Amino acid sequence: MTFIDYYKVLGIGKKATASDIKSAYRKLARKHHPDLNPNDADAKRNFQQINEANEVLSDPEKRKKYDKYGKDWQHAEQYENSKQYQGQPTDSRGQKYSRTQSGGDFSDFFESMFGGSANAGRSRQVKFRGEDYNAQLQLNLSDAYETRKQTLTVNGGNIRITIPAGIENGQTIKIAGHGGPGINGGPNGDLYITFSIANHPGIKRLGNDLYIQIDLELYTAVLGGEITIDTLSGKVKLKVKPETQNGSKVKLKGKGFPVYKSDGQFGDLYITYVVKIPTSLTERQKNLFTELSKS
């Protein structure tokens, strides 16, 4: 397994605080977001690694295991169980595991456990964690706007999961214990679900902010008035200022996308007005415009 330095992925040091991790993740996730880098395989891979790094380092228990075991952190329990079973010592820091007088590191241990060795008959009695499963789940933007429950079929069985509002396109979450079965009574693996969120017609999402274009009648743009628009949260009434120019933008604070796992927090909604030029004018209407142009 190729080792991925999660600290390096997020551009932080090993003494980074939870706040540092959160800030670095948000900055990099926005930079490499698939919506901002369409058809960019490198950006997609970077985005997945950023999510993976955040998933581990933002969880104190996972981070503790990662700091101690490195790339083998997911097998920490197997290491400890095997160490107790075989009665082999570690050094004062717990950084080495020795099967013989010559010693070896964690990677050597796990390679011998999973790759086979002369002691294979003995290792078969050790409990091993099951294989992790990976799946992809497709959602519409409107589906990701609200927290919802969904039933999935995994290995012929149904599991019911809760999908938090604000889930990102390309984000991966873990469902513990729903991967492959453990060996010799070991724990099951985990299920990792990556979400693919389709764009919504007329609405663009960037992070927690939403962007839409609204057609505006010329008369309303000139004279001002009130219009009603459709948003993911329902219909919203807007007051249009007189002499609104084509391409004008307005921001509706808190009317954007919900912030992931932050109840009551939302991004903003940005609206761009596109002024429509009237067509099929009557002669009288043309004359009025002619008079207006001369005034």
Side-chain angles (χ1 to χ4, degrees):
M1 179 189 298
T2 302
F3 175 65
I4 300 176
D5 188 334
Y6 292 148
Y7 290 101
K8 186 175 181 181
V9 168
L10 294 182
I12 56 177
K14 290 191 175 182
K15 294 184 179 180
T17 64
S19 179
D20 294 334
I21 293 170
K22 185 176 182 180
S23 177
Y25 167 70
R26 286 184 173 179
K27 180 179 178 181
L28 291 172
R30 183 177 180 85
K31 178 181 178 182
H32 297 282
H33 197 287
D35 289 346
L36 294 177
N37 302 275
N39 302 319
D40 189 333
D42 290 337
K44 182 178 181 181
R45 182 176 63 255
N46 290 337
F47 186 73
Q48 291 175 336
Q49 288 186 354
I50 291 164
N51 272 299
E52 182 180 329
N54 181 65
E55 177 80 19
V56 173
L57 298 185
S58 63
D59 185 310
E61 200 59 38
K62 292 180 183 176
R63 183 180 181 183
K64 182 179 179 181
K65 292 179 181 178
Y66 176 78
D67 287 344
K68 184 176 180 180
Y69 296 96
K71 73 181 181 68
D72 297 314
W73 72 272
Q74 290 179 303
H75 303 295
E77 292 182 8
Q78 294 166 244
Y79 168 76
E80 294 296 341
N81 289 339
S82 298
K83 183 179 67 176
Q84 292 176 12
Y85 174 80
Q86 297 181 5
Q88 298 294 336
T90 62
D91 67 9
S92 59
R93 296 177 301 159
Q95 294 298 306
K96 296 289 184 179
Y97 174 83
S98 175
R99 297 182 59 144
T100 65
Q101 294 292 329
S102 61
D105 61 16
F106 291 126
S107 296
D108 293 334
F109 167 73
F110 288 114
E111 182 178 353
S112 69
M113 289 294 98
F114 296 103
S117 70
N119 297 319
R122 187 179 181 186
S123 69
R124 276 197 296 270
Q125 301 174 23
V126 180
K127 296 179 180 180
F128 293 111
R129 181 176 176 276
E131 179 185 3
D132 288 337
Y133 290 160
N134 294 279
Q136 187 175 77
L137 185 60
Q138 294 186 340
L139 297 176
N140 293 322
L141 194 61
S142 56
D143 293 333
Y145 187 82
E146 298 178 341
T147 296
R148 62 181 58 243
K149 295 185 181 296
Q150 188 157 338
T151 300
L152 304 177
T153 301
V154 180
N155 279 350
N158 292 332
I159 60 172
R160 190 166 177 79
I161 66 171
T162 298
I163 304 172
I167 195 96
E168 288 268 6
N169 180 44
Q171 185 173 343
T172 299
I173 65 173
K174 183 186 80 171
I175 310 298
H178 286 282
I183 300 174
N184 295 330
N188 291 346
D190 299 324
L191 171 63
Y192 289 87
I193 302 176
T194 300
F195 290 85
S196 176
I197 302 175
N199 290 325
H200 191 282
I203 300 179
K204 183 178 182 180
R205 177 191 180 189
L206 291 178
N208 298 316
D209 295 329
L210 297 176
Y211 296 80
I212 62 174
Q213 289 187 341
I214 297 296
D215 289 338
L216 198 61
E217 297 292 342
L218 177 63
Y219 315 108
T220 305
V222 173
L223 302 175
E226 188 176 83
I227 62 174
T228 301
I229 65 171
D230 290 319
T231 70
L232 291 177
S233 60
K235 294 184 180 297
V236 175
K237 288 185 178 181
L238 293 177
K239 288 186 177 180
V240 180
K241 295 180 179 180
E243 301 179 6
T244 293
Q245 300 297 306
N246 182 54
S248 295
K249 294 180 175 62
V250 295
K251 179 177 79 171
L252 299 184
K253 189 172 180 61
K255 290 294 183 180
F257 217 70
V259 179
Y260 183 69
K261 288 190 175 180
S262 299
D263 291 342
Q265 295 186 33
F266 293 80
D268 300 323
L269 172 62
Y270 293 86
I271 299 170
T272 300
Y273 288 127
V274 179
V275 178
K276 293 175 61 179
I277 303 300
T279 58
S280 304
L281 296 175
T282 65
E283 286 301 319
R284 181 173 180 278
Q285 289 172 327
K286 291 179 182 178
N287 290 334
L288 289 173
F289 273 106
T290 299
E291 289 182 28
L292 190 61
S293 68
K294 294 178 180 179
S295 62

